[in-house]
Every structure is written in structure tokens, then in C-alpha cells.
Amino acid sequence: TSMKKHFPPDELKPFSIMEKAVREGNYFPHGYYEDGECRAYTCLIKNGDFYLLDYFAVMEDGRGKGTGSRILSILKGHLSEKEAVLLEVEEPLAAEPDVRDLQERRIQFYLRNEAIETGLNAQVFGVRYRILGLGRPLYEEKAQTAMETLYHTILSEEMYERNVRFSLDKPK
């Protein structure tokens, strides 16, 4: 239920896809607790040396207090030299100024926390994303290959072909 509060409907995968990937050992949901309360959560897809931070949310009462930065630091601290975490961050394209401002702040949050621009963009289930990275630097084609591998880990070929697109050009 928290995910429905933290993500727009067009960004939520069907639970059955996540559940199947957990059973197969490719999907890792984590809760981050302080004083017995969940303060944030992440969901990661893993394939080989690559992770996709599929979902990341800090509960409302923990925002603006460094919680998200601490969690990214923990995540980076668990990576080996050859591992990378890729991040899909929604492009700031919303028509509403307050929503667009939030989208821009998300990108800046990740960049402040040592994420790098990969030069890769994605459209997944109709939502446009900028792909950022943590850990081992991946750029352009290497980032695309990693993302393709990660998405093939959880989606059928038919679902992938219908719903996942990548481009190396900067969005306008």
C-alpha cells in the first residue's frame, strides 16, 4: 500500500512480476528501519554485476533529514569494484510546475549523492526516464546493455518488446 502512495500508477509494476522475480532470486525488496519503524524501502533487480534500483522511497516523516542519502551510501558501500547500480529517474517533463519541480529535485538528489549521468534514456511502459548510475561507471552502450539484461531478467520477451525502449540521445 505504501508503494501506491509513493509512485504514480503508471510507474507501478504488477505485483505478480515482482513476486515471481523474488522467487527466482532476482528481486530484492529491503526495508530500512529506525526505532522499529520503516523509514524507507528499496527494491532492486539483480543480474550478474548489475542492479537496477527499481523502487526507492523514504517515508514522509523521514524526508529532508538525510535518510535517503544514508541509504544510498549503504547501498554504494555494499558494491564491489565491478558492480553497478542503475537508476531510472523520471524525466522532468510534467506539465504541472510543482510535479516538474519534484522530478527535477529527484535528479539533483541522485547527482548530489554521486550518481553519474550515463547518457542513456529509457521509455518503460510509457514513462520516460533518465538513466543514472552508482558504483562502477557505465556509459551509453554499456549502460544500455546492462539495462536490457536487467529488464530481460523480470519481463517476458513479448512484454519487453512492447514496453521497453532505450535511446542514447538527450531528451529535448
Side-chain angles (χ1 to χ4, degrees):
T1 59
S2 287
M3 291 181 86
K4 288 182 181 179
K5 286 193 319 190
H6 297 131
F7 297 93
D10 60 354
E11 289 186 28
L12 291 172
K13 286 177 187 57
F15 183 75
S16 59
I17 290 174
M18 295 183 281
E19 186 178 40
K20 179 178 181 274
V22 167
R23 281 196 314 271
E24 293 172 349
N26 300 317
Y27 203 82
F28 302 90
H30 297 280
Y32 299 87
Y33 292 82
E34 288 177 0
D35 303 321
E37 301 231 358
C38 184
R39 301 293 181 200
Y41 59 89
T42 60
C43 296
L44 294 143
I45 301 169
K46 182 177 187 342
N47 188 309
D49 293 331
F50 306 118
Y51 294 86
L52 172 62
L53 184 57
D54 200 29
Y55 295 103
F56 178 30
V58 174
M59 301 305 170
E60 289 77 7
D61 61 351
R63 293 181 185 164
K65 299 176 182 173
T67 303
S69 294
R70 283 194 306 279
I71 291 168
L72 286 181
S73 180
I74 291 167
L75 188 58
K76 290 183 296 193
H78 283 88
L79 295 175
S80 75
E81 238 177 59
K82 60 183 186 170
E83 291 179 315
V85 176
L86 293 159
L87 316 165
E88 292 174 327
V89 188
E90 194 175 15
E91 277 293 345
L93 301 170
E96 306 83 18
D98 56 331
V99 175
R100 190 172 51 253
D101 180 60
L102 179 61
Q103 292 168 331
E104 290 169 355
R105 286 195 329 243
R106 280 189 194 122
I107 290 171
Q108 292 309 311
F109 164 77
Y110 287 115
L111 294 175
R112 276 194 316 275
N113 283 280
E114 302 177 6
I116 59 164
E117 297 268 5
T118 65
L120 181 65
N121 301 295
Q123 184 164 324
V124 181
F125 291 94
V127 180
R128 289 182 55 191
Y129 296 101
R130 185 178 308 177
I131 308 302
L132 305 178
L134 293 168
R136 175 178 139 204
L138 295 174
Y139 299 103
E140 298 174 345
E141 289 87 357
K142 288 183 180 181
Q144 182 170 339
T145 299
M147 288 296 291
E148 289 169 350
T149 299
L150 288 159
Y151 266 105
H152 277 102
T153 300
I154 64 163
L155 298 178
S156 70
E157 186 63 28
E158 178 187 352
M159 191 175 283
Y160 176 90
E161 289 298 325
R162 278 196 327 235
N163 297 292
V164 180
R165 301 281 177 272
F166 296 104
S167 71
L168 296 174
D169 24 304
K170 294 281 182 198
K172 307 279 183 277

